[in-house]
Amino acid sequence: MSFEAGGGREKKFVEFCKGVNGLDKVILREVRGHSAEVYLNGGQVTSWKNEYGEELLFLSSKAVFKPPTAIRGGIPISFPQFGMHGSLEQHGFARNTVWTIDKDPPPFPTVSSNKAFIDLMLKPSEDDPKSWPHRFEFRIRIALGPGGDLMLTSRIRNTNTDGKPFTFTFAYNNYFYLTDIRFSHDLL
Ligand SMILES: O=P(O)(O)OC[C@H]1O[C@@H](O)[C@H](O)[C@@H](O)[C@@H]1O
């Protein structure tokens, strides 16, 4: 039995590996066969499979896996701007930045027994363009429950040294897999 992830979780629940173009990827697995894949590029979930191995998310066959290009498909995170609602590039910069593994996340108010999860963090780097002049810590926990449910919990902290507030818009820009576009008419 091998242990890899923080907190002594077994490799079978959380596996760190390389994905397309050698990019860092994390695979979450649950005992009944559910799985999810997360790229550090964008902190983005790119795959979510049920216990039969069927894919639940859409990932474009033309998706580009080369930062700072955002990956088309899965669950891109729009932050600190949704769409064109502001002066930044469409959907902000979180989706085209490489996130880091958050080894020591602050505790959550509720205790969870999930074993298949990963904590990621996005912080502005020193050489960031000054187009969004705020300091922040964006933490996300991506968890796969024993029943295959996928849970994304985002926590955003203002770390501006002068205590200045900021506003932002945010979204999980989900791409769900559809077998037939005609089934989507109720969703559009
Ligand atoms: O094409 P982008 O920048 O990845 O944006 C993804 C989608 O974002 C949605 O918010 C827009 O409504 C779509 O029109 C757009 O295609």
Side-chain angles (χ1 to χ4, degrees):
M1 192 176 286
S2 64
F3 293 84
E4 245 194 49
R9 282 172 289 144
E10 294 166 39
K11 189 177 173 182
K12 69 178 179 184
F13 290 108
V14 184
E15 183 186 348
F16 298 92
C17 57
K18 300 287 180 193
V20 181
N21 288 341
L23 297 182
D24 288 318
K25 182 172 92 167
V26 181
I27 305 177
L28 306 176
R29 292 192 183 87
E30 256 303 336
V31 286
R32 282 168 54 193
H34 308 92
S35 67
E37 296 189 5
V38 181
Y39 273 83
L40 297 200
N41 183 19
Q44 190 162 332
V45 178
T46 53
S47 169
W48 176 28
K49 288 182 180 164
N50 65 17
E51 59 197 302
Y52 308 109
E54 294 163 341
E55 184 56 68
L56 305 175
L57 296 177
F58 169 80
L59 179 66
S60 172
S61 57
K62 294 180 182 162
V64 175
F65 289 79
K66 197 174 175 200
T69 304
I71 301 167
R72 179 162 299 274
I75 309 181
I77 297 172
S78 300
F79 175 85
Q81 174 183 301
F82 176 72
M84 292 302 286
H85 299 283
S87 57
L88 299 179
E89 62 205 283
Q90 160 118 319
H91 293 309
F93 50 75
R95 66 176 181 163
N96 46 30
T97 307
V98 179
W99 294 46
T100 54
I101 306 267
D102 185 8
K103 293 201 175 102
D104 190 21
F108 283 80
T110 52
V111 180
S112 151
S113 56
N114 288 335
K115 291 180 177 146
F117 66 86
I118 187 70
D119 289 292
L120 302 180
M121 177 149 71
L122 176 69
K123 280 194 210 186
S125 67
E126 294 310 319
D127 57 359
D128 261 350
K130 299 287 171 258
S131 52
W132 205 68
H134 301 292
R135 302 205 62 78
F136 65 90
E137 289 173 354
F138 186 141
R139 291 188 160 82
I140 189 166
R141 172 165 289 188
I142 300 165
L144 191 64
D149 41 322
L150 183 66
M151 292 157 283
L152 276 63
T153 309
S154 286
R155 298 184 289 176
I156 297 161
R157 202 171 143 231
N158 180 340
T159 54
N160 274 334
T161 44
D162 57 5
K164 218 169 151 186
F166 59 73
T167 57
F168 61 89
T169 47
F170 162 85
Y172 298 134
N173 228 332
N174 308 319
Y175 286 75
F176 290 111
Y177 184 85
L178 293 173
T179 48
D180 190 326
I181 192 66
R182 286 171 298 174
F183 296 154
S184 71
H185 68 277
D186 288 338
L187 302 171
L188 296 175

